Structures are given as C-alpha cells and as structure tokens.
Amino acid sequence: MKLSDSITRLPKVGPVYLKRLEKLGIIKIGELLTHPPHRFMDFRKIAKIKHARVGETVTVLGKLNFIKNQYSKTGRVMQLGEIEDDSGKMKILWFNQPFLVMTLKRGLTMCFSGNVEFFGRDKALITPEYEIGDSFIHTGRLVPVYPETYGVSSKWIRSKIAFALKVGKPEIEDHIPPTDLSKYDLVGFKDAIYALHYPKDDEEFQKAKRRLAFNEFLTLTLQSIFRKDLWKKNKALYKIKLRNKEIKNFKNNLPFVLTTSQELNIDEILSDLGKDTPMNRLLEGDVGSGKTVVAATAIFAAFLDGYQSVIMAPTQILASQHFQTLNKLFEKYKIRVKLITSNEKKGDIGKADVYVGTHALIHRVIDSERIAVIIIDEQHRFGVEQRSHLVKKSGKGNRVPHVLTMTATPIPRTIALTTYGDLDLSILKEMPHGRLPVTTWIVPAKKRLHAYDWIKKQIDADHIQVFFICPLIEESEYETMKSVKAAMSQYADIKKVFKGYKVDILHGKLKSEEKDLAINGFKRGKTDILVSTPVVEVGIDVPNATIMVVETAERFGLAQLHQLRGRVGRGTKKSYCLLMPSSGERFVSKRLEAMRTHHSGFELAEIDLSIRGPGQIFGTAQHGFFELKNASWSDTELIKLTRDYAEHVIDNKPRYKDLLNSIVGEGVGLN
Ligand code: ADP
Ligand code: MG
C-alpha cells in the first residue's frame, strides 16, 4: 500500500464512503493516516475484574456470559450483559442500543473499556467501548477520537487506520535526512504517522503532530517558492509607460482624498507595471478600505498607454457594481468600460478599454485583446486554477499580463509569507477618513419588536437604508431552495412588520436582471429595506445603508459576520449592526461577543484562530484553500523554522531532489 493510493483500496470503502470522507479532506491513504485525532480516551489501564475499582477507568478482557435487552420501569430499553475473567465477573450496561444484542454473542472473548460504577450492588461498566478479541484498537490504550462527519464515526476511522497500518503496511518514505531531523528536533515521518494514532503518551503524540505540522508548512513554503520561481520566468506582456502627470490629475480629481496607504499601494503597483517581470501582487485591505480605487488607478495607467484591463469578480452582482463604480471614476475620460453579461455571445462583444465580468464570462473577451493588467477581486473566492487559467489565456506563452489580486481576508504577514510567498504584498493599513466604527448590538428574541420600532424611527428620521440578512442555511442545491424559501417567508414577514416602507428581496435564484433591478433600486434609494440571503456578503457598496440586521447570527462564522457588517459604515453616517440570534439560543456565543467588541478584521481573525482552532484561515473555508491538518497558524515559531529549512533546501537542491519532487512534482526541477 502507498500513501498516494486511493482510500478505496481499503476494504468496504466504496463510492459512498469516498464521498463522505471527501468532506474530511480524505481521498488518499496518506490523508487518512495524517488525519489527527482531536482527543484521546485514556483506556491504558488494563485490570483483572476482581481488582477493578468503582470510580476507575479500566480495560478488562473477558468472556461474554450473556447479553439481553431489558426494559426499565420508564420504558427505556437497556442492554445488560455479564463478562467473566479468571478473577471474577462483572456486569456491562448500555442504553438504547438494541442492535448490540444481535451483534455480540455469548461466549465471545472481548475487551471493554469504560468507567466502573455501581449497578445496584454489583460492579458494572456503564456504556463501555468494546471490541471482539484483544487487538486493542478501540480499547486498552490511548484510544483516539477523530473529527467525524455524517456517516463516518471515530470507530470506523480507527478501524480503517488500524487496517491500513497493520495489514496494508504502507511504504512511508522520509525525504528529510536524519541529520536534518535531529537538527530540527523532529521525529521520523513513519514514527510520526504511527504515533499520531498509537501514541504511548501525550508527549509522543505532540512530537508526531509537530513533525506532521512541519511537513505541512514545508509543503506550503516550498510550493510558493516554486511558484515564485516559475513566475519569474515570465515576461511582462506589455510594459506600461507611466504618464505621471495624467495619473496625478486623475488622483486629484477623485471625489475623496486618498489615504496614505492607498497612495503607497498605488505607487508600489504603478512601479510594478513598468517592469520586465510581470506584476504578481496581492492587495490586502479590510472590508471597505477602498481597494477598488487602487485597482482603478492601475487600470487608468494602462489605458493612458493604450492597453486594456480586465477585472474578474466572484459574482455577477459584484461585477455590475465594479462596472458602475469604474464608469463613475472614469466619467471625465474617454474610457470604455464593458460589463460582460451572459446575454452576450463571444464575438458580439464590442471593443472596450476595461472588461468586467465573472470567471464564467470573462474568457469571452480575452482572446484577441491587448490586455496589460488583470485584476482579480475577492481572490479567496477563486481557486488557484481559475486564476492561472485566466492569466495563461490572456498571455502569450511566457509573456503574461500584470496581475493584481485583491482580498479582504486579513491574513497576518507570517501566514501570507508562507502561503502566498510568491506574491508581493501590499496592505491597506487604514480606513478612509471619517469612518465611524459600526455600533454592534446583540438583540435577544424578546427585544426584537423593540428593535423593529427603532429601525423604523431611523428610516423616518434620516432616510437611511437597511440590509436584512436571512437565516443562513448550508449551501447545496437542495439547501439553496430551502434558503430561498426562508428568504421568501422572511420577506413576507418583514413586509408585514414594515407596512408603508419599501421592501425588496434579493436571493440566489433570481435571474440576473432581477438581481440587478433589486440592487440598483436599493443603490438609488428606491428601497428602504433589502431582504437578502447571505449573497450580499462580498463587496456590495451602498453608502446610505447604515443598518445591517443579521438573522440567525450565531450560525455565521466570524469572517462572514465581519464581511456582512462591512456592508454598512461605508459613508460618513453613523451605522449599526444588529445581530439577532435564533430565538432558542440562550447563550451569546464568543463569536457574537467578539463582533460586539472588535472592529478590525485583523483582530477578529486572531480571535477566530483562538476560538476555532488552528487549521483554517479566517474566511477561506471555501474553494480548496489549503487547510492545515496538524499545523496551527498560531505556531509562528514552527513557521519560521520551516522557512529556514525551506531556504536551506532551495540552496542545496541536488541533495534534496527527492524531497522537492515529492512536494512540487516530478521533473519540475526548480532550477
Ligand atoms: P473594498 O476595499 O471593500 O473593496 P471599496 O473599494 O468598495 O472597498 O470602497 C469602499 C467605499 O469607500 C466606496 O464607497 C469608496 O468610494 C470609498 N472610498 C474609497 N477610498 C476612499 C477614501 N480615500 N476616502 C473616502 N472614501 C473612500
Ligand atoms: Mg471590494
């Protein structure tokens, strides 16, 4: 068995399990074997029945004398059995698991692990873990408990891992030489994999995790160094001559004064545009920090020198918003901005200087154009392939356009260096002047009506507008229908409550013209309240909207809540965010409390790290973003160590040929 083999090599793992396991990110044997337990049950103490004491957690090995269903006075069904070893007998007891009577036969030799308690006057193991025989997979040791998913229990995972390790005997090659292992105080790869699932104590487990974490960081780091190397082999498709006077004029004529950060970032970007090596830059700035105008300046510079640009947005809604924003910013110049919609066939699309569209549509324009700059907005919503596809397609061989990717995901610098080490980084550190923090309230069910009245008063007094976000329901085709339904009923309710106000609805199943109508109506102030599924999450900019209401707020992740709240507080008016937990929710979650007390995306990202734990980066759950399994983004020390090692590896490529091949693929070589 190889680590690269499919998990379908394991007995009784077919398409159904494959699908379930995919949810846990497990497709290959290697991924199963590095899937870390999140805790252990300590069943290490093995005892003779006679010596097992009440209050202890023990494992006993014995013969099953009987097992039967028994009904309690209250009608509960329990499974009562008796086990015996050469020292004595004891009872075992489960509740509501009648199938046990079918699967466990008297006379079987079995192991049981659990707490010894009194059952009447007898000693008994209550709801013990059990297994037939004495292979000590589910009993008799530190028994791992894994993150589970629907239809995949910890016990199931345990037995598959046991099979893979004991029967499959996988070839586990360590590409890190022993001298390096001792230098970095790392255990061997094979030992780490066994100890992850069969540790003798916590220390051994932690060492295993550390080694596997090292592998994860090393993979990320080397891959990004490799991408950087590859990128450097490209030539800029078009070098842009900067017309500084006109650019300065453009900036001076904006309806606002640029922030210092915006100025700095614009300078960095413009200087990239004139270079031989194409720009490959990540512009990171919190929600509402003003990334669009930075991108617009790059587009403007390209236009002045006679070139086209392209903006790729994750949704049609955002694409049309960019279209409008750019039209406004470029009003005084003869810049033709073109929005690609699904109505236009390839070939019908007229000439323009800037094309805006979603990934699905943007390809229709780029074949024959002189595209000097590509802007990718909300980069975390796109896969790596979508991005590189667009870049390749708009380039000519190794001559590619300048690429600016933008994200509101507040990735701390250490993390950015590891995952996006190939990209140059520009950060918008401050918000535009005059922004007030959005006051955030957690509104319990009993204050809901009160809140509605308050909202009415705000609309009456100041003609402000309100976003009303519907309950979050998980995504899937079926769930989309459900969430549309939820949105419709919410819409009906809100219309009743807000009689006399103009209420509109926005959800994913509307046709794109209907969506535009809803958004534009809201933007022009024709609608007071826009009821919406969480689709407004990214990017929408309506400065007069100053109240954001989020239903079932406890179901949203911090990143999503932060994005939603970022929809308000974009003008100079005081804004509010009302988080409304489901009526059954009695506890205010840490997340909602964090929203109330914190406003910066970076701080919320840190909190998210500490609440949710280690693997995921704030707001990047979707779209195949590399998820850490054993490593933690808060482990800055190991991140640094790995970067050291990665550099050492790169400096000594021949010696690390196998390691490099295993990470960046055979034959790429890293010259
Ligand atoms: P994001 O970074 O979230 O994409 P946008 O580019 O949509 O943010 O900008 C948010 C809002 O802030 C827009 O209405 C934009 O016109 C405005 N804005 C951008 N820069 C400034 C600035 N320097 N001063 C005032 N308002 C600004
Ligand atoms: Mg934006």
Side-chain angles (χ1 to χ4, degrees):
M1 199 173 265
K2 288 202 185 98
L3 295 186
S4 57
D5 286 346
S6 159
I7 41 160
T8 51
R9 292 264 330 247
L10 294 169
K12 292 190 204 151
V13 179
V16 174
Y17 272 106
L18 192 62
K19 230 179 164 163
R20 291 174 181 170
L21 288 165
E22 249 173 32
K23 288 214 177 99
L24 296 171
I26 298 172
I27 295 165
K28 293 176 183 165
I29 298 287
E31 286 156 349
L32 177 70
L33 292 182
T34 50
H35 185 63
H38 58 76
R39 66 184 177 92
F40 288 91
M41 299 181 285
D42 189 350
F43 293 148
R44 279 176 295 185
K45 182 169 177 142
I46 296 173
K48 289 281 180 202
I49 288 176
K50 193 174 149 195
H51 303 302
R53 272 193 309 244
V54 170
E56 270 184 328
T57 302
V58 295
T59 297
V60 298
L61 175 62
K63 206 165 79 264
L64 187 63
N65 282 341
F66 69 82
I67 178 158
K68 60 183 186 195
N69 281 323
Q70 189 158 312
Y71 294 86
S72 74
K73 282 177 210 120
T74 53
R76 281 221 291 176
V77 55
M78 43 189 203
Q79 290 67 47
L80 178 66
E82 187 184 77
I83 49 172
E84 180 172 4
D85 66 8
D86 56 15
S87 75
K89 293 176 189 173
M90 93 196 283
K91 294 280 186 298
I92 46 171
L93 190 64
W94 289 278
F95 302 100
N96 291 316
Q97 302 192 42
F99 64 91
L100 285 176
V101 174
M102 317 288 288
T103 47
L104 303 181
K105 295 274 176 291
R106 62 185 289 192
L108 279 176
T109 299
M110 297 183 62
C111 284
F112 298 88
S113 292
N115 297 324
V116 185
E117 291 172 44
F118 277 118
F119 176 62
R121 283 160 59 206
D122 297 331
K123 267 194 312 196
L125 284 173
I126 314 281
T127 63
E129 296 288 320
Y130 62 92
E131 69 191 304
I132 296 169
D134 61 352
S135 39
F136 292 145
I137 295 169
H138 309 291
T139 64
R141 63 181 183 117
L142 278 177
V143 174
V145 181
Y146 298 93
E148 302 176 350
T149 183
Y150 172 78
V152 182
S153 68
S154 242
K155 190 160 186 171
W156 188 92
I157 296 175
R158 234 180 273 139
S159 40
K160 297 304 164 197
I161 288 175
F163 182 92
L165 288 179
K166 296 200 164 140
V167 184
K169 296 212 172 19
E171 301 157 27
I172 304 175
E173 254 182 289
D174 200 340
H175 297 298
I176 300 183
T179 44
D180 294 350
L181 290 179
S182 58
K183 183 173 165 203
Y184 288 89
D185 194 21
L186 295 166
V187 298
F189 189 30
K190 187 169 182 176
D191 291 344
I193 282 186
Y194 278 84
L196 189 69
H197 310 289
Y198 288 86
K200 67 175 194 301
D201 52 29
D202 186 57
E203 193 188 335
E204 207 178 78
F205 174 68
Q206 296 305 340
K207 283 188 173 157
K209 289 250 314 175
R210 185 166 176 279
R211 167 59 205 267
L212 297 173
F214 190 87
N215 280 17
E216 290 170 12
F217 284 142
L218 188 64
T219 302
L220 284 176
T221 311
L222 284 174
Q223 280 175 347
S224 76
I225 293 176
F226 166 69
R227 284 197 306 268
K228 187 168 198 149
D229 257 35
L230 264 188
W231 186 267
K232 278 193 188 145
K233 288 185 188 150
N234 292 326
K235 287 258 171 299
L237 186 54
Y238 302 111
K239 263 168 60 170
I240 294 169
K241 263 198 256 46
L242 298 176
R243 324 234 160 169
N244 289 317
K245 220 176 91 198
E246 280 103 324
I247 293 171
K248 197 166 173 205
N249 255 332
F250 171 75
K251 293 195 287 184
N252 288 340
N253 282 321
L254 288 169
F256 41 73
V257 182
L258 291 171
T259 63
T260 315
S261 284
Q262 281 171 321
E263 291 277 11
L264 281 173
N265 288 340
I266 287 173
D267 288 348
E268 285 175 345
I269 290 164
L270 293 183
S271 107
D272 284 357
L273 294 182
K275 287 183 185 152
D276 280 322
T277 306
M279 167 167 75
N280 197 19
R281 187 170 283 280
L282 177 66
L283 173 59
E284 199 183 316
D286 211 340
V287 198
S289 58
K291 294 184 286 295
T292 317
V293 69
V294 175
T297 312
I299 293 171
F300 187 73
F303 163 78
L304 290 176
D305 204 24
Y307 297 108
Q308 274 95 30
S309 305
V310 156
I311 301 191
M312 177 160 84
T315 62
Q316 193 63 33
I317 291 177
L318 261 191
S320 36
Q321 176 175 293
H322 280 319
F323 172 69
Q324 290 166 14
T325 308
L326 293 179
N327 267 323
K328 229 188 263 154
L329 289 172
F330 296 149
E331 215 169 18
K332 301 187 196 100
Y333 311 87
K334 290 203 179 94
I335 304 179
R336 295 160 299 173
V337 186
K338 176 93 200 151
L339 177 67
I340 318 297
T341 66
S342 50
N343 300 331
E344 277 147 311
K345 296 271 161 336
K346 203 171 170 152
D348 301 350
I349 302 166
K351 285 264 170 239
D353 303 300
V354 194
Y355 297 95
V356 189
T358 59
H359 178 256
L361 301 173
I362 201 79
H363 296 284
R364 295 183 185 179
V365 296
I366 55 182
D367 281 348
S368 53
E369 297 299 326
R370 280 167 43 101
I371 291 170
V373 178
I374 292 179
I375 315 266
I376 300 174
D377 194 16
E378 306 295 346
Q379 157 266 6
H380 64 282
R381 307 265 299 201
F382 294 104
V384 178
E385 321 78 51
Q386 288 176 318
R387 188 189 125 93
S388 57
H389 182 220
L390 175 63
V391 173
K392 253 189 221 129
K393 225 184 146 198
S394 28
K396 297 179 171 52
N398 75 337
R399 294 175 56 224
V400 301
H402 297 289
V403 180
L404 178 66
T405 33
M406 309 199 288
T407 183
T409 309
I411 310 167
R413 196 171 267 276
T414 42
I415 298 179
L417 278 174
T418 303
T419 47
Y420 298 129
D422 54 327
L423 306 180
D424 295 314
L425 195 59
S426 291
I427 301 181
L428 286 172
K429 294 207 175 84
E430 79 247 61
M431 286 292 184
H433 315 286
R435 292 277 171 81
L436 300 165
V438 178
T439 298
T440 303
W441 290 316
I442 301 163
V443 182
K446 61 174 195 277
K447 291 212 176 148
R448 188 171 284 246
L449 294 177
H450 187 73
Y452 289 160
D453 283 339
W454 178 84
I455 292 172
K456 285 179 194 166
K457 273 195 207 121
Q458 303 303 308
I459 302 175
D460 295 343
D462 225 3
H463 298 295
I464 54 88
Q465 292 164 280
V466 183
F467 281 112
F468 223 108
I469 305 301
C470 301
L472 178 69
I473 295 166
E474 264 193 58
E475 268 178 67
S476 75
E477 193 46 32
Y478 166 71
E479 299 291 356
T480 310
M481 282 324 293
K482 262 215 251 177
S483 81
V484 169
K485 257 201 190 146
M488 293 314 290
S489 87
Q490 177 94 358
Y491 177 47
D493 288 350
I494 295 295
K495 270 203 294 199
K496 257 185 247 152
V497 175
F498 290 86
K499 243 200 184 85
Y501 295 83
K502 279 160 285 168
V503 184
D504 204 354
I505 175 128
L506 179 64
H507 62 68
K509 285 281 156 179
L510 291 177
K511 294 208 190 77
S512 65
E513 302 90 74
E514 295 172 318
K515 279 185 199 164
D516 282 349
L517 220 61
I519 299 246
N520 287 333
F522 193 60
K523 280 197 165 177
R524 297 208 186 95
K526 291 191 177 150
T527 315
D528 300 311
I529 300 175
L530 185 64
V531 177
S532 168
T533 46
V535 293
V536 295
E537 190 196 328
V538 270
I540 289 191
D541 187 40
V542 184
N544 191 50
T546 61
I547 300 179
M548 166 61 69
V549 184
V550 185
E551 282 287 345
T552 65
E554 82 283 356
R555 286 193 209 159
F556 290 84
L558 258 183
Q560 271 177 310
L561 290 173
H562 179 61
Q563 269 282 354
L564 285 171
R565 182 169 62 186
R567 296 308 110 220
V568 297
R570 299 170 80 84
T572 45
K573 285 186 189 168
K574 173 79 196 146
S575 294
Y576 301 88
C577 176
L578 278 60
L579 302 173
M580 301 198 166
S582 312
S583 45
E585 279 289 303
R586 272 188 297 142
F587 302 102
V588 171
S589 73
K590 278 190 199 162
R591 261 179 290 162
L592 299 191
E593 190 52 30
M595 284 296 292
R596 204 173 64 73
T597 47
H598 290 77
H599 292 89
S600 122
F602 277 96
E603 284 169 22
L604 288 167
E606 297 278 325
I607 295 173
D608 203 42
L609 253 177
S610 73
I611 298 178
R612 272 202 315 174
Q616 289 183 348
I617 299 183
F618 197 60
T620 53
Q622 326 91 320
H623 302 286
F625 191 88
F626 187 93
E627 213 176 288
L628 299 174
K629 288 160 73 109
N630 290 283
S632 155
W633 285 119
S634 52
D635 195 348
T636 40
E637 218 176 298
L638 193 65
I639 294 178
K640 273 204 208 101
L641 218 59
T642 326
R643 200 157 53 235
D644 260 16
Y645 187 61
E647 274 161 21
H648 169 74
V649 167
I650 294 294
D651 289 342
N652 298 278
K653 278 178 205 151
R655 213 169 104 209
Y656 294 101
K657 210 174 96 233
D658 293 342
L659 174 65
L660 287 166
N661 280 340
S662 75
I663 288 177
V664 293
E666 199 78 38
V668 263
L670 278 146
N671 300 310

